[in-house]
Amino acid sequence: MNREIQLIKEDIQNAKTALGIEFGSTRIKAVLIDSENNPIAAGSHEWENRLENGVWTYTLEDIWSGLQDAYQEMAKDVKAQYGLPLANIGAIGFSAMMHGYMVFNSADELMVPFRTWRNTMTGEAAEKLFDLFNYNIPQRWSIAHLYQAILNGEDHVKDITYLTTLAGYIHWQMTGRKVLGVGDASGMFPIDPKTKDYDEGMVQKFDALIAEKNFPWKLRDILPEVLTAGESAGVLTEEGAKLLDVTGTLRAGIPVCPAEGDAGTGMAATNSVKQRTGNVSAGTSVFAMVVLEKELSKAYPELDLVTTPDGSLVAMVHCNNCTSDLNAWVGIFREFMEAIGMKVDMNQLFGTLYNKALEGDKDCGGLLSYCYFSGEPVTGFDAGRPLFARTPDSHFTLANFMRTHLYSSLAALKIGMDILFQQEHVELDELMGHGGLFKTKGVGQSIMAAAANVPVTCMETAGEGGAWGIALLASYMINKAEGETLDEYLSHKVFAGQQGSTMAPDAADVEGFNRFIETYVKALPVEKAAVETM
């Protein structure tokens, strides 16, 4: 038998494994890792949110059937590869999309359908809470959903005994404990980075705000207890084990780490939990997470503040649009090639067009585009129209055309990040890049480095995403040395020796992107006119 397979079998038999399960917006994924933190088995389940009575939601049936299916697929993978039943695991972690609204009464019944992060029904509450706290409260945050329900006079509010996120709900059902990892909790209510708990001053302001309603609860009564990475968050109960593994093979008593949100697991999976580091995920949408050394001087509507799984403050720039328009233009080139009878290899086509962009003028030569398939909060748009424009004397070449669309895909992100760098003087040592924009080696990476004026690193081993990230947090809880921080554990025991490529920003590229952004911001009224007239 292959020695590596034998060692993995020993890890499975001796429960030197960790399991991470993450609920993404379209897929639930389960990843089992060995004692070296390498993925050894996986399972997944596709699911979709549904729009019911104007609310984006998933049913409880969706949640449980999806969790059980993903787990069974992973357990079958273990059996197929290693010939062993999965009866015991070293530690388990659950993670999910952050924010949203799940509320329960004293009989532990869900009182209204789960309102996911995707809902934009809390504008009035978010605005009033921003003013009350002097802190950005995005519409998707749990506290915005709660306050909007109060403003709406919804009858269920008086009966709330527990408000949590999707990950918090799963964790509660698995362990019986109403706790939550600090990263996920930071998308429910603002966290004080000094105490790594809900900001007490803001808690008191909220309680005073709603005092006249005479609800039988105060805010802290209904929120989950906050835990940081590495703390014990309970064990899998007999009921939890039966819920997770419907075959009854899995034992109870397995340690469970604090449940986390997808932002926190993404930070763990990219080794970006240390202060002065960050990561950028660039695909259909794009967001950057920057781990701060200190609090910002004031609140900005363009910036969300959340935390790492160990409680460091993180500024998040989230943009709705990234590569959709770029991909659509590549699709036009594919159609042209097919029309003249050429066979198309999409990887080659993307690679050719992306690399061509590197030959373009640094400021795109008078070309401009907006990639807004939907609204873009960072630039103040509720709706979008993909738009391409140029001046009559522009340098209209294929290289500039492609460079323009690459710049455009990161332009809104750059505007948000420039607030951090220029107004708040935040300093970064490096950004980790991951997602579709970075697949063509060196291109998206160099454009991102120019946008942020920070070195950008892409790992050759792309990991398993958030499910792997929460498995790492479960592993950290049971395997950390005395006093070993999460950053030390990830750097020394997970990512040590992993190969990655780092690109420093090119000064001419940085200057060119800055010139492009000047035009981009000045011409935003053109995009506004397109939204109003098309």
Side-chain angles (χ1 to χ4, degrees):
M1 184 188 292
N2 175 318
R3 172 161 168 74
E4 187 179 328
I5 295 287
Q6 182 56 39
L7 290 173
I8 290 172
K9 288 180 76 164
E10 288 171 13
D11 279 352
I12 294 167
Q13 288 168 317
N14 298 323
K16 294 198 168 171
T17 52
L19 172 65
I21 299 181
E22 178 156 287
F23 289 73
S25 55
T26 59
R27 188 166 65 140
I28 302 168
K29 187 165 185 182
V31 171
L32 189 71
I33 61 176
D34 63 12
S35 57
E36 300 292 311
N37 295 304
N38 299 309
I40 54 173
S44 66
H45 172 87
E46 305 293 321
W47 73 335
E48 281 291 343
N49 55 184
R50 51 183 85 189
L51 187 61
E52 292 184 349
N53 302 315
V55 175
W56 288 106
T57 189
Y58 301 88
T59 66
L60 292 182
E61 170 59 28
D62 293 336
I63 292 167
W64 291 111
S65 62
L67 173 66
Q68 289 160 357
D69 186 43
Y71 180 86
Q72 279 309 309
E73 289 295 311
M74 181 276 305
K76 284 176 189 168
D77 193 23
V78 171
K79 183 80 170 162
Q81 288 194 75
Y82 313 109
L84 296 170
L86 193 59
N88 201 4
I89 298 168
I92 302 176
F94 299 98
S95 122
M97 304 163 278
M98 290 173 67
H99 320 297
Y101 187 73
M102 294 189 85
V103 282
F104 301 86
N105 62 17
S106 58
D108 294 343
E109 298 163 334
L110 184 69
M111 288 190 288
V112 294
F114 170 31
R115 298 171 184 174
T116 77
W117 64 272
R118 193 175 178 188
N119 291 287
T120 51
M121 56 175 71
T122 63
E124 181 188 3
E127 202 173 305
K128 288 183 174 177
L129 292 174
F130 184 106
D131 293 339
L132 178 72
F133 297 150
N134 190 27
Y135 196 97
N136 187 25
I137 305 292
Q139 287 203 45
R140 58 187 183 275
W141 280 33
S142 306
I143 191 64
H145 279 279
L146 174 64
Y147 188 44
Q148 191 65 54
I150 293 169
L151 292 173
N152 293 347
E154 294 185 43
D155 189 53
H156 74 271
V157 175
K158 67 182 187 309
D159 298 318
I160 296 173
T161 58
Y162 191 37
L163 162 62
T164 191
T165 62
L166 176 55
Y169 167 64
I170 299 292
H171 185 96
W172 171 39
Q173 297 302 302
M174 291 288 132
T175 66
R177 291 194 61 187
K178 293 179 175 179
V179 298
L180 197 59
V182 64
D184 203 10
S186 71
M188 293 190 75
F189 191 87
I191 295 289
D192 180 344
K194 297 184 196 72
T195 63
K196 303 191 191 314
D197 194 4
Y198 305 116
D199 186 293
E200 183 56 32
M202 293 187 205
V203 168
Q204 290 181 16
K205 281 182 180 177
F206 185 81
D207 283 337
L209 177 69
I210 63 167
E212 63 183 32
K213 302 289 185 185
N214 292 313
F215 294 130
W217 50 263
K218 292 276 202 296
L219 185 60
R220 279 190 181 270
D221 300 336
I222 63 171
L223 287 176
E225 178 190 347
V226 181
L227 300 176
T228 54
E231 290 191 84
S232 168
V235 298
L236 190 67
T237 61
E238 293 283 355
E239 298 81 4
K242 289 190 182 81
L243 260 177
L244 183 56
D245 181 4
V246 293
T247 70
T249 309
L250 190 65
R251 297 176 195 159
I254 298 167
V256 184
C257 75
E260 264 304 344
D262 50 359
T265 60
M267 286 183 260
T270 54
N271 194 23
S272 346
V273 300
K274 187 179 181 182
Q275 292 179 353
R276 295 177 65 98
T277 66
N279 74 88
V280 175
S281 176
T284 306
S285 62
V286 60
F287 61 88
M289 317 283 294
V290 175
V291 189
L292 303 173
E293 295 178 278
K294 62 181 192 302
E295 294 184 58
L296 300 181
S297 65
K298 65 175 189 174
Y300 298 90
E302 299 90 348
L303 302 175
D304 294 8
L305 289 173
V306 292
T307 77
T308 62
D310 55 352
S312 288
L313 200 61
V314 175
M316 178 177 178
V317 184
H318 186 282
C319 305
N320 290 346
N321 302 279
C322 186
T323 59
S324 294
D325 193 37
L326 183 58
N327 294 345
W329 281 109
V330 174
I332 289 287
F333 289 111
R334 183 198 69 219
E335 281 191 50
F336 165 72
M337 291 175 70
E338 289 172 344
I340 61 171
M342 294 181 70
K343 191 172 179 187
V344 183
D345 177 320
M346 289 306 288
N347 287 331
Q348 185 184 5
L349 181 57
F350 267 101
T352 301
L353 290 171
Y354 272 44
N355 278 294
K356 192 71 183 170
L358 299 182
E359 301 171 17
D361 296 326
K362 303 296 188 184
D363 62 358
C364 301
L367 279 58
L368 182 64
S369 80
Y370 296 95
C371 62
Y372 296 2
F373 265 62
S374 64
E376 193 50 80
V378 169
T379 49
F381 282 81
D382 294 328
R385 299 290 183 272
L387 185 69
F388 172 74
R390 64 190 180 97
T391 57
D393 60 346
S394 62
H395 189 198
F396 190 35
T397 64
L398 177 61
N400 279 341
F401 184 81
M402 289 308 301
R403 193 177 187 97
T404 297
H405 284 91
L406 280 163
Y407 275 18
S408 174
S409 66
L410 296 175
L413 184 79
K414 175 175 171 54
I415 289 167
M417 292 186 79
D418 280 351
I419 293 172
L420 287 175
F421 299 144
Q422 293 170 17
Q423 296 182 44
E424 291 291 331
H425 309 293
V426 168
E427 294 184 1
L428 266 191
D429 295 327
E430 74 173 345
L431 272 171
M432 301 294 301
H434 53 112
L437 187 74
F438 300 104
K439 278 185 182 168
T440 300
K441 192 167 176 139
V443 181
Q445 198 175 354
S446 68
I447 300 288
M448 186 68 238
N453 196 14
V454 169
V456 175
T457 299
C458 291
M459 303 300 290
E460 286 175 15
T461 49
E464 293 285 340
W468 184 53
I470 188 66
L472 295 178
L473 292 173
S475 170
Y476 170 65
M477 179 182 71
I478 57 169
N479 294 319
K480 67 182 185 299
E482 185 71 34
E484 186 174 30
T485 66
L486 178 60
D487 167 53
E488 289 165 347
Y489 184 82
L490 292 173
S491 295
H492 302 151
K493 294 180 180 167
V494 180
F495 292 94
Q498 283 208 18
Q499 294 302 304
S501 65
T502 301
M503 292 189 79
D506 174 83
D509 284 348
V510 172
E511 187 187 341
F513 207 139
N514 285 337
R515 286 202 302 273
F516 174 86
I517 279 290
E518 279 180 35
T519 306
Y520 182 96
V521 171
K522 270 188 210 160
L524 280 168
V526 177
E527 171 68 14
K528 187 168 187 287
V531 171
E532 290 169 354
T533 57
M534 286 177 72

